Amino acid sequence: MTRLTGVATLAEFVNSEPASSGQHLEVEIMKTRFVRQPSPAAVIASIALFVSLGGVSYGVATGSIDGREVKDSSLKGVDVRNGSLGSADMKKDSLGGAAIKESVLGKVPSAAKADSAGSATSAGSATNATNAVNATNATNAGALGGLAAGAYPSNVEIVSAQSADVTPSANVDTASVTANCPAGKKVIGGGGSSSFTTLNFATLNVALQDSVPTTGGSGWRVFTIETGATDEISPWRSTAFAICATR
């Protein structure tokens, strides 16, 4: 008796070894175990289950952790690498004075000259104090010498007037002239002079006897007189000057 084992078919055995007459053929075919392949739906379902159960571990491996994987208020300072956070990681205007160590901050450039400002309590109203170094007390700076600025002269001008020509004679000749200020102005000073009416290099012996303001202060009067022992050789005249201003 011949026994057939393995996966060979009956036909293959018969063709390879014909049976003799009267020989009994006993064929024993052993069953082979086959594994059934999973369906596509089962594969997709398995992948989804793996991702859902291992999502956190997958995120750690690829560096893609976001706020969804971190519990609120669970991270501490030791969990963040020193010097790894920049300004782009901070919310604008989110840090207050209590969150900043003042000793690590540099000096503000515009305050470089403020170290010598020992006392600036009243400096808030000193808008322009460039020339106020010597102004110890400028509370009443609108007054000058105790007088209001309007009490001082303004719009100052000088006016003049000439006397009539004096022709030399046997007598002691004199001249008188007044320079009057324009309307609205008062005289604040004055003077006078005498000279020949034409170019002459001789000495003019004339003295200025009076040089005074007029009554009421509206002009300046000059009075001159000959002082020589002899008459002058040429005609002469006197001039009055008045310094006028608004007061």
Side-chain angles (χ1 to χ4, degrees), residues 114-124:
D115 293 336
S116 60
S119 177
T121 305
S122 302

Side-chain angles (χ1 to χ4, degrees), residues 53-112:
L53 294 178
V56 175
S57 299
Y58 176 78
V60 171
T62 60
S64 61
I65 293 179
D66 57 19
R68 294 173 298 178
E69 283 81 32
V70 179
K71 181 180 180 181
D72 292 345
S73 303
S74 63
L75 292 180
K76 300 179 180 179
V78 295
D79 300 318
V80 181
R81 186 175 63 184
N82 293 337
S84 63
L85 296 180
S87 58
D89 301 312
M90 302 299 174
K91 182 180 179 182
K92 185 178 180 181
D93 299 330
S94 61
L95 297 180
I100 301 175
K101 187 177 181 180
E102 293 84 351
S103 60
V104 301
L105 298 178
K107 183 181 294 183
V108 178
S110 60

Side-chain angles (χ1 to χ4, degrees), residues 5 22 26 36-37 39 41 55 62 65 68 76 79 82-83 96 117 134 159 166 171 181 204 223 227 232 239-240 245:
T5 63
E26 179 180 285
R36 183 178 180 181
Q37 295 181 351
S39 65
T62 60
I65 293 179
R68 294 173 298 178
K76 300 179 180 179
D79 300 318
N82 293 337
N134 298 321
V159 297
V166 177
N171 300 319
C181 293
L204 179 60
F223 181 80
T227 60
E232 300 301 324
T239 302

Side-chain angles (χ1 to χ4, degrees), residues 30-64:
M30 299 185 67
K31 297 181 181 181
T32 301
R33 183 177 299 174
F34 294 95
V35 179
R36 183 178 180 181
Q37 295 181 351
S39 65
V43 173
I44 293 174
S46 299
I47 293 174
L49 178 60
F50 170 77
V51 171
S52 64
L53 294 178
V56 175
S57 299
Y58 176 78
V60 171
T62 60
S64 61

